[in-house]
């Protein structure tokens, strides 16, 4: 209960530091739904574009890999249920609802040069296709007007990205399709195709419409992503009313290199916006996510009016936000950063909210519309690759759909996540975030691994990043008394004054002299040594202690996952948790390895692991000495519903009597202290796989952190919480 209360209150300082005034309502996650529950036999699933029935009780999403649309019952939004799946003759690209009917754009193209598709009419109650209307090209986005009488379809006719490096033109050109609806039936005879050629400065003879939205005047805004252009069309007449370039941005203070380092000092000049999703805010203004394609991507969202005036652009702030939250995807630094892709606009009460989906950061940033510069409210964790979103204001709900499915690699599946707007002291996310440096740039961080507490100051911790920041190995100073916890300083680990290479820091402990001992998980095939490192308070490596030959002779990939120190002076011994069995370990046991600092002697004891489920493995993630006990984090490698073991155990210090390496080792006994799975599900998400850090502060309070894998094949979500006093 202590953990859940802390998790529910962790973010008050964020709003105080960004908006200046604490808001009264926040979107907090109440549930998540793996869409594979609708198609359990499918190897890959996706929830890409999502909508909701008029009564707000059923979600409908497009699932391109599985070739159909899925249904989710949210009568009780805290307990979403699988409600069916309809296979379609082609690839669904998007869905909208009008009363008892669903309209789905379906791509049936045989090739890039022969695009085709149709608009399917589906009965919501029977979940069956009633009719279809051929569109003469490949549909992408579909939108309906307020009274359901008009549907607009972006006919993208997308290019082959492998042909001529994806350069345009690649005919046939795309277009906008308009069709009327009466009494829930599409009148295919009213289908008209709006020619969009000759408008854009970029490849004007080959427009590729990406997204459409209709305002209350039946004006359709169309984003031409590859053409970096917008078109406003009168939906009643089909005439082009206006068109204009999306323009470019001079970006400053961004990370531009994919190099295992977070460095927000770079720039990009005249970066084309290349907009993706677009939504009207009102009848005059629309908001757009500038995802980018092959020539651009400005890492921002913008607000335009229909006359073509750019009223607001977020610049580099989305990248900075993600970096402070630990969600910045360094692997996309040389491309488009966080890649804003999805947009939704909804009015809850008197407030109009703008929701911006950050595809690569797996966040949704939420702002209030002010008529001028939007006011940042919060950012919510949204699974891997948020694409679509739908608001249900009458139920105070916001739904996000996350298209990426990593199930084939044993990682997270595609999820739909449900958030509720309610009064609260603070948003429940983030649990931990970083401050800005002296120049106003984010102290970026990812992949928190080992933790250790300051010996004297309650609530002060130190954490380390693992190999995902291989060019910037860092020790983070954490103020755990703040809500959310704050990373207040970042100390780069150096060798001869330069960032140390070939480190995979998985453990950290105090050295008793103002510095630290670090445990680096080696990997010989990548020339990363299994070693201990002593660093001073400035992060400079003062001593390196490689593992002894008799230990390395039994090496496999999974090495040091934590380090702690027991004793002082000549009696000080470092104890290292080895993650998994090495070659000479009996099945189901791993080593706790000892290193006496004064004598240089090595030894070990055996630690008994819990039995893994079929297809899983179990190993250690952390070791922390406190009083007469050593605390050890033990976990399986499973995620979501498959996760069975994420737990804290204790071992008596008295049993840590090391045996000789290569000889018969004593086996310690362990006691379960805490099952972490209830903590990991307390915020409505799926169970994260990597509980990797644990520390006990000077007051005896225990803190836990998960490793977000550097937002690489991960949602980026980091949980940090207290388990109370031990």
């Amino acid at each position: 209960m202590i953990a859940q209360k802390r998790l529910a209150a962790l973010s008050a300082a964020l709003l105080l530091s960004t908006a200046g005034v604490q808001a009264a309502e926040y979107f907090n996650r109440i549930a998540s739904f793996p869409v594979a529950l609708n198609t359990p036999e499918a190897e890959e699933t996706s929830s890409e574009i999502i909508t909701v029935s008029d009564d707000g009780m059923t979600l409908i999403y497009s699932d391109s890999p599985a070739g159909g649309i899925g249904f989710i019952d949210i009568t009780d939004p805290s307990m979403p249920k699988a409600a069916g799946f309809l296979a379609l003759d082609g690839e669904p690209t998007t869905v909208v609802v009008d009363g008892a009917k669903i309209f789905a754009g379906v791509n049936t193209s045989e090739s890039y040069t022969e695009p085709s598709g149709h608009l399917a009419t589906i009965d919501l109650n029977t979940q069956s296709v009633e009719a279809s209307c051929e569109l003469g090209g490949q549909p992408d986005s579909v939108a309906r007007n307020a009274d359901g009488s008009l549907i607009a379809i972006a006919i993208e006719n997308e290019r082959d990205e492998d042909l001529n490096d994806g350069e345009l033109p690649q005919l046939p050109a795309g277009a906008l399709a308009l069709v009327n609806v009466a009494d829930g039936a599409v009148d295919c005879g009213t289908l008209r195709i709006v020619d969009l050629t000759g408008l854009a400065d970029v490849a004007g003879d080959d427009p590729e419409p990406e997204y459409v939205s209709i305002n209350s005047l039946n004006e359709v805004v169309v984003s031409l992503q590859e053409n970096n252009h917008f078109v406003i069309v009168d939906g009643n007449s089909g005439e082009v009313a206006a068109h204009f370039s999306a323009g470019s941005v001079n970006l400053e203070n961004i990370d531009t290199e994919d190099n295992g380092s977070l460095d927000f000092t770079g720039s990009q000049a005249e970066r084309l916006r290349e907009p993706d999703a677009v939504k009207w805010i009102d009848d005059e203004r629309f908001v757009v996510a500038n995802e980018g394609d092959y020539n651009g991507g400005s890492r921002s969202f913008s607000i335009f009016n229909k006359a073509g005036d750019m009223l607001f652009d977020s610049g580099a702030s989305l990248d900075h936000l993600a970096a402070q939250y630990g969600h910045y995807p360094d692997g996309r630094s040389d491309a488009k950063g966080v890649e804003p892709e999805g947009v939704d606009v909804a009015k809850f009460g008197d407030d109009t909210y703008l929701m911006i989906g950050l595809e690569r950061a797996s966040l949704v940033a939420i702002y209030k519309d002010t008529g001028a510069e939007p006011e940042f409210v919060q950012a919510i964790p949204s699974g891997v690759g948020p694409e679509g979103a739908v608001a249900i204001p009458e139920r105070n709900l916001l739904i996000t759909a996350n298209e990426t499915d990593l199930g084939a690699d044993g990682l997270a599946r595609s999820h739909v996540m449900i958030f509720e707007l309610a009064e609260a002291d603070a948003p429940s996310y983030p649990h931990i975030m970083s401050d800005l440096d002296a120049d106003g740039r984010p102290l970026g961080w990812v992949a928190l691994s080992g933790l250790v507490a300051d010996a004297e100051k309650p609530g002060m911790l130190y954490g380390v990043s693992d190999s995902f920041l291989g060019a910037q190995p860092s020790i983070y100073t954490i103020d755990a008394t703040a809500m959310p916890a704050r990373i207040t300083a970042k100390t780069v680990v150096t060798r001869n004054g330069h960032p140390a290479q070939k480190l995979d820091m998985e453990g950290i402990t105090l050295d008793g002299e103002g510095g630290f001992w670090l445990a680096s998980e080696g990997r010989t095939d990548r020339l990363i040594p299994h070693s201990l490192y002593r660093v001073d308070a400035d992060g400079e490596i003062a001593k390196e202690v490689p593992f002894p030959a008799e230990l390395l002779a039994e090496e496999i990939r999974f090495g040091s996952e934590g380090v702690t120190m027991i004793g002082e002076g000549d009696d000080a011994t470092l104890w290292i948790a080895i993650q998994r069995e090495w070659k000479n370990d009996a099945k189901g046991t791993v080593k706790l390895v000892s290193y006496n600092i004064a004598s240089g002697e090595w030894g070990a004891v055996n630690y008994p692991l819990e039995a893994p489920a079929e297809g899983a493995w179990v190993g250690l993630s952390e070791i922390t000495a406190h009083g007469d006990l050593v605390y050890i984090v033990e976990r399986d490698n499973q995620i979501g519903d498959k996760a069975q073991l994420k737990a804290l155990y204790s071992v008596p210090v008295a049993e840590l009597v090391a045996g000789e390496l290569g000889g018969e080792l004593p086996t310690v006994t362990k006691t379960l202290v805490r099952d972490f799975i209830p903590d990991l599900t307390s915020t409505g998400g799926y169970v994260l796989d990597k509980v990797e850090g644990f520390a006990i502060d000077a007051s005896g309070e225990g803190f836990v952190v998960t490793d977000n894998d550097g937002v690489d094949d991960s949602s980026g979500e980091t949980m940090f919480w207290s388990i109370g006093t031990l």
Side-chain angles (χ1 to χ4, degrees):
M1 192 65 176
I2 293 174
Q4 294 180 13
K5 286 182 179 178
R6 184 175 179 86
L7 287 174
L10 268 170
S11 299
L14 173 62
L15 273 298
L16 294 175
S17 65
T18 54
V21 177
Q22 184 171 320
E25 293 185 318
Y26 303 100
F27 292 94
N28 287 324
R29 187 173 54 202
I30 59 174
S32 58
F33 178 85
V35 298
L37 291 179
N38 268 328
T39 51
E41 304 302 321
E43 293 184 3
E44 182 181 0
T45 64
S46 179
S47 51
E48 189 171 3
I49 302 302
I50 193 162
T51 189
V52 64
S53 59
D54 286 355
D55 65 3
M57 298 298 173
T58 304
L59 300 173
I60 305 100
Y61 61 89
S62 61
D63 187 337
S64 174
I69 62 174
F71 301 82
I72 306 171
D73 179 354
I74 58 166
T75 303
D76 179 351
S78 67
M79 298 184 65
K81 299 177 182 178
F85 184 83
L86 173 64
L88 297 174
D89 183 19
E91 174 197 8
T93 56
T94 189
V95 286
V96 296
V97 169
D98 182 9
K101 306 302 178 185
I102 303 166
F103 302 111
V106 183
N107 175 22
T108 58
S109 303
E110 294 186 4
S111 69
Y112 291 104
T113 57
E114 298 180 10
S116 63
H118 61 266
L119 182 70
T121 301
I122 299 159
D123 186 270
L124 174 62
N125 298 315
T126 64
Q127 297 184 7
S128 60
V129 177
E130 292 186 334
S132 67
C133 185
E134 292 298 323
L135 297 172
Q138 172 241 322
D140 197 343
S141 169
V142 176
R144 51 158 280 196
N145 66 349
D147 64 11
S149 63
L150 176 68
I151 291 180
I153 307 107
I155 306 297
E156 183 178 12
N157 293 345
E158 63 184 351
R159 74 192 192 282
D160 182 353
E161 296 184 15
D162 295 325
L163 178 64
N164 297 328
D165 294 325
E167 289 290 330
L168 296 179
Q170 289 186 24
L171 301 180
L176 173 68
L178 300 171
V179 64
N180 294 344
V181 179
D183 299 324
V186 174
D187 183 355
C188 295
T190 66
L191 178 68
R192 56 256 194 220
I193 302 298
V194 180
D195 182 10
L196 302 177
T197 61
L199 303 179
D201 294 332
V202 178
D205 55 346
D206 184 17
E208 290 195 12
E210 188 73 26
Y211 216 92
V212 292
S213 180
I214 309 176
N215 67 13
S216 71
L217 303 176
N218 278 359
E219 294 172 322
V220 184
V221 58
V222 187
S223 63
L224 310 182
Q225 184 170 17
E226 289 80 0
N227 312 95
N228 197 45
H229 212 74
F230 297 109
V231 181
I232 310 293
V233 174
D234 184 328
N236 299 316
S237 68
E239 298 294 323
V240 173
H243 68 91
F244 42 88
S245 171
S248 63
V249 176
N250 292 323
L251 289 171
E252 301 290 341
N253 296 320
I254 61 171
D255 190 342
T256 60
E257 296 187 29
D258 171 12
N259 62 354
S261 172
L262 300 182
D263 178 10
F264 295 92
T265 60
S267 62
Q268 289 177 339
E270 298 183 354
R271 189 73 167 173
L272 299 182
R273 288 189 171 91
E274 294 188 342
D276 190 337
V278 58
K279 283 288 182 74
W280 289 100
I281 301 172
D282 50 37
D283 286 339
E284 296 296 323
R285 300 173 300 140
F286 57 86
V287 58
V288 59
N290 301 313
E291 180 196 23
D293 203 279
Y294 68 116
N295 280 329
S298 63
R299 310 180 184 215
S300 66
F301 75 96
S302 304
I303 296 175
F304 287 82
N305 65 22
K306 61 188 181 186
D309 301 314
M310 198 278 292
L311 306 177
F312 169 79
D313 188 272
S314 65
S317 65
L318 293 176
D319 271 17
H320 290 187
L321 172 70
Q324 286 189 270
Y325 276 50
H327 280 251
Y328 182 77
D330 181 60
R332 302 297 297 175
S333 290
D334 58 347
K336 295 167 283 185
V338 296
E339 289 190 32
E341 183 176 18
V343 164
D344 197 28
V345 177
K347 189 170 185 178
F348 289 77
D350 295 330
D351 295 318
T352 298
Y353 290 89
L354 316 178
M355 282 74 78
I356 316 298
L358 311 183
E359 179 185 12
R360 299 293 181 169
S362 294
L363 283 172
V364 175
I366 299 176
Y367 297 78
K368 283 184 182 178
D369 177 42
T370 67
E373 179 177 339
E375 173 191 337
F376 175 71
V377 177
Q378 65 182 121
I380 53 178
S382 183
V384 186
E387 171 82 4
V390 63
I392 314 175
E394 61 273 19
R395 301 188 70 192
N396 284 328
L397 298 178
L398 171 64
I399 316 297
T400 66
N402 307 279
E403 64 175 328
T404 305
D405 189 327
L406 303 171
D409 298 321
L411 301 173
R413 306 302 303 265
S414 171
H415 279 73
V416 167
M417 293 191 169
I418 302 172
F419 299 81
E420 183 178 41
L421 181 66
E423 291 187 1
D425 292 335
S428 63
Y429 197 81
H431 303 165
I432 182 169
M433 64 176 294
S434 69
D435 288 338
L436 302 176
D437 66 17
D439 296 313
R441 303 185 185 101
L443 292 173
W445 62 277
V446 293
L448 288 179
S449 186
L451 283 180
V452 69
D454 188 89
E456 298 178 354
K457 298 178 182 178
M460 179 174 284
L461 310 177
Y462 305 95
V464 290
S465 58
D466 64 19
S467 60
F468 283 94
L469 292 183
Q472 194 185 55
S474 299
I475 299 171
Y476 303 100
T477 302
I478 301 168
D479 178 3
T481 66
M483 292 189 181
R486 308 289 293 212
I487 293 175
T488 60
K490 178 168 70 173
T491 302
V492 177
V493 176
T494 56
R495 183 184 284 113
N496 298 323
H498 301 284
Q501 302 295 307
K502 300 299 182 181
L503 295 183
D504 182 4
M505 300 185 300
E506 296 285 352
I508 180 172
T509 192
L510 305 178
D511 71 353
E513 298 180 14
F516 304 93
W517 280 97
L518 308 175
S520 178
E521 181 177 21
R523 189 162 177 181
T524 299
D525 61 343
R526 296 182 181 176
L527 302 180
I528 301 174
H530 294 273
S531 292
L532 297 169
Y533 296 90
R534 191 172 194 170
V535 301
D536 62 23
D538 296 323
E540 176 70 14
I541 294 175
K543 183 178 183 180
E544 178 177 354
V545 183
F547 277 17
E550 56 268 39
L551 190 57
L552 292 176
E554 306 299 331
E555 172 204 12
I556 63 168
R557 170 184 164 190
F558 300 91
S560 305
E561 279 290 316
V563 62
T564 193
M565 187 166 71
I566 297 176
E568 299 177 354
D570 290 342
D571 293 327
T573 298
L574 298 176
W575 283 89
I576 307 137
I578 304 298
Q579 185 174 52
R580 293 181 62 188
E581 300 102 321
W582 281 18
K583 294 176 184 177
N584 63 340
D585 289 321
K587 185 176 182 180
T589 65
V590 291
K591 290 186 182 72
L592 304 179
V593 173
S594 66
Y595 171 72
N596 184 277
I597 297 171
S599 69
E601 294 181 26
W602 292 83
V605 297
N606 285 330
Y607 176 93
L609 295 171
E610 297 297 296
E614 183 177 355
W617 56 256
V618 167
L620 307 185
S621 285
E622 179 68 288
I623 182 170
T624 301
H626 181 71
D628 295 331
L629 298 173
V630 166
Y631 294 88
I632 293 173
V633 175
E634 187 175 344
R635 66 172 180 88
D636 60 22
N637 66 328
Q638 300 299 295
I639 196 167
D641 294 341
K642 292 184 177 180
Q644 295 187 12
L645 177 66
K646 318 289 181 186
L648 183 69
Y649 292 87
S650 66
V651 171
V653 170
E655 293 189 17
L656 296 181
V657 180
E660 184 178 349
L661 294 175
E664 186 173 348
L665 301 178
T667 299
V668 299
T669 58
K670 67 181 188 180
T671 300
L672 177 65
V673 176
R674 189 180 186 93
D675 178 3
F676 289 140
I677 288 183
D679 298 331
L680 294 166
T681 58
S682 65
T683 58
Y686 54 79
V687 176
L688 303 176
D689 58 336
K690 293 189 174 181
V691 181
E692 293 229 346
F694 178 71
I696 302 172
D697 76 357
S699 69
E701 185 174 5
F703 294 91
V704 191
V705 72
T706 61
D707 178 352
N708 73 2
D709 270 344
V711 207
D712 186 359
D713 288 343
S714 163
S715 69
E717 184 169 347
T718 295
M719 295 185 70
F720 178 92
W721 73 99
S722 164
I723 64 169
T725 302
L726 293 170

